[in-house]
Amino acid sequence: MTAPTTTKIRVLIAKPGLDGHDRGAKVVARALRDGGCEVIYTGIRQTPEMIAEAALQEDVDVVGLSILSGAHLELFPRVIDEMKKRGLDDVLLFCGGIIPEEDTKSLEALGFKAIFRPGTNTQDIVKFVYANAHAHPRN
Amino acid sequence: MDSLVERFLGGDRRALARIISRVEAESPDGRQYLRELFPHSGKSHTVGITGGAGSGKSTLTAALTAEYRRRSKTVGIVAVDPSSPFTHGAILGDRIRMQEHALDPGVFVRSMAGRGALGGVAPTIDGVVAVMDAFGFDYVLIETVGAGQDEVEIAGTALTTVLVNNPGTGDDIQAMKAGILEIADVLVVNKADHPGADLLASQLRALLSLAPPGQRRPPILKTTATKGEGLDLLADAIQEHREYLEHSGEMETTRAAQARHQVLAIARQILLERIRRSTSDAELSSLVGRVAARELDPLSAAEELTGIALD
């Protein structure tokens, strides 16, 4: 079986900070793989710099951040800063995990296009990625 | 487009990342980048790291990179993981073992999906490695997908092929079979802290002693990549192989063989695409339908498709 040589959607799934629970991240990575994406998974305990550098080197279309520690409002802005420093301002962003409703506006203001909380159907994440990843051509 | 190539040649890592994606996509602009950058390639030493799934290729690649960084060498890594044969998606997880180099400006790691290619690499591996090479890394390390007995394509891309073995994975007859052992320039017994490492090393040594006289015998090294042990010897062995290639004249023959392999692979692809384009799906379906119904044999069908008669 040969794969078609069309452009694949490349997604980085990353876990910033110190919480070591990556089941959610792995479930999302697997769902996107089964949806036909090429998913780069970097493991737990990533610093914002490491995530931004991986996004650059892997030239991903999408970055999904998973967090359960409650430190999203501290860590996510630093990830975005590091990405901007590297000129990565055209990457689709989403996040997931334990994220209170009242933080939705702050995260949207940071550039996150979707927030997936516990109980999300993984197919909705796949649909979201396909609907938004190639919305604009990247340079 | 020119500005991206200029940025690339000026050392912009984002331009490198972008160009790799375009080459992987096999798009017209990707082909143009490859044409422009190819003359800048040929300076890196390319090293293939191959071996079974779970043999420690990623950890060994990371540890070898650390050794090269101690020697003030820059390293580009291309790490290939398999694509799903059904959805064509992939999980690329080799970076997990390479975290210590995540922020090192002298290291660049790119994960690649196999995208259905046979042989343990990816359809555009030669193009991507040429781009990494043109960027100016001292070493380009290519980690294959977990290889079994017959995934030998890496030897068509890398100048030095390192085969990673583990203790406890079969007797010496396994290694005596034709295939992957024959492409190894350097043999590594990784996980050397596990029982059976010395036995495996001596079995491999005994096996290599059966080779015809005059033939180069690859060195056998023991490493424990998780502890960083044996990597200085591995880096030395790769260097010795490089010097051997240069002094024996094999560098020229290897490069010529690899160039031939690449050119023919691209030619094959061009011809196949030309045939596919000149034949409608309906025509192809009807033709293969006749083969499936045993009305036509596959050889005659291929002759009809290509318009070329076989002898």
Side-chain angles (χ1 to χ4, degrees), chain B:
Chain B
M1 176 189 278
D2 293 341
S3 70
L4 195 59
V5 170
E6 273 166 32
R7 279 166 53 203
F8 176 100
L9 294 174
D12 180 340
R13 292 155 69 89
R14 194 166 176 232
L16 167 61
R18 208 76 267 275
I19 286 178
I20 292 174
S21 298
R22 303 316 297 157
V23 169
E24 256 199 301
E26 302 187 277
S27 60
D29 62 340
R31 284 195 276 271
Q32 188 53 36
Y33 294 138
L34 204 49
R35 286 178 219 266
E36 288 181 40
L37 295 176
F38 187 78
H40 298 272
S41 68
K43 299 183 192 85
S44 305
H45 191 68
T46 50
V47 181
I49 315 270
T50 192
S55 59
K57 293 182 297 298
S58 296
T59 308
L60 192 76
T61 301
L64 180 60
T65 299
E67 178 62 29
Y68 282 139
R69 296 300 291 141
R70 275 191 286 278
R71 299 179 184 199
S72 304
K73 302 293 184 192
T74 56
V75 183
I77 300 171
V78 181
V80 189
D81 269 330
S83 295
S84 160
F86 303 107
T87 67
H88 308 311
I91 299 267
L92 311 176
D94 292 323
R95 287 190 90 88
I96 294 174
R97 316 253 178 260
M98 300 178 186
Q99 296 297 341
E100 64 169 300
H101 307 296
L103 297 176
D104 182 345
V107 177
F108 188 99
V109 182
R110 183 60 178 245
S111 311
M112 254 184 118
R115 297 196 181 177
L118 301 174
V121 285
T124 55
I125 190 80
D126 288 319
V128 170
V129 169
V131 168
M132 282 278 212
D133 181 339
F135 196 73
F137 295 108
D138 295 313
Y139 288 88
V140 177
L141 308 184
I142 307 136
E143 185 196 331
T144 73
V145 307
Q149 296 179 311
D150 206 17
E151 284 87 350
V152 297
E153 283 290 305
I154 185 62
T157 300
L159 291 169
T160 299
T161 299
V162 176
L163 176 63
V164 186
N165 304 269
N166 298 140
T169 51
D171 63 22
D172 56 346
I173 295 296
Q174 289 302 330
M176 202 192 259
K177 293 176 182 171
I180 201 162
L181 194 68
E182 294 177 78
I183 62 161
D185 302 305
V186 177
L187 284 164
V188 167
V189 175
N190 190 38
K191 307 188 187 180
D193 54 341
H194 287 212
D198 288 324
L199 179 65
L200 176 60
S202 62
Q203 283 174 340
L204 289 169
R205 202 164 290 122
L207 200 68
L208 293 176
S209 71
L210 300 176
Q215 196 174 313
R216 177 183 173 274
R217 300 216 177 128
I220 300 162
L221 307 165
K222 288 191 290 179
T223 59
T224 306
T226 49
K227 296 179 186 160
E229 289 170 7
L231 278 305
D232 49 342
L233 298 175
L234 177 56
D236 288 345
I238 291 167
Q239 182 59 26
E240 279 160 24
H241 180 249
R242 183 183 192 167
E243 285 162 10
Y244 162 80
L245 288 175
E246 279 161 3
H247 295 151
S248 65
E250 267 194 46
M251 188 68 99
E252 284 72 31
T253 49
T254 302
R255 285 193 192 279
Q258 292 182 344
R260 169 190 287 261
H261 179 82
Q262 279 185 45
V263 170
L264 291 177
I266 296 166
R268 199 175 296 128
Q269 199 183 340
I270 291 171
L271 291 175
L272 192 60
E273 266 167 36
R274 180 163 298 175
I275 292 163
R276 284 295 285 115
R277 257 185 242 150
S278 65
T279 313
S280 72
D281 282 345
E283 284 173 301
L284 185 61
S285 297
S286 137
L287 197 62
V288 298
R290 283 160 61 204
V291 176
R294 298 295 192 273
E295 295 163 17
L296 187 69
D297 67 85
L299 294 167
S300 305
E303 284 178 330
E304 201 172 306
L305 196 62
T306 56
I308 297 168
L310 296 167
D311 298 332

Side-chain angles (χ1 to χ4, degrees), chain A residues 8-13 38-42 50-63 88 91 138, chain B residues 13-14 16-18 20-21 24 77-79 92-96 98 108-113 115 132:
Chain A
K8 285 281 181 191
I9 297 176
R10 288 170 68 85
V11 187
L12 174 67
I13 296 294
E38 292 180 354
V39 184
I40 293 104
Y41 183 63
T42 50
M50 289 161 88
I51 294 169
E53 193 57 33
L56 180 147
Q57 293 181 16
E58 300 289 354
D59 191 38
V60 291
D61 307 286
V62 186
V63 171
L88 304 174
V91 178
R138 303 188 313 121
Chain B
R13 292 155 69 89
R14 194 166 176 232
L16 167 61
R18 208 76 267 275
I20 292 174
S21 298
E24 256 199 301
I77 300 171
V78 181
L92 311 176
D94 292 323
R95 287 190 90 88
I96 294 174
M98 300 178 186
F108 188 99
V109 182
R110 183 60 178 245
S111 311
M112 254 184 118
R115 297 196 181 177
M132 282 278 212

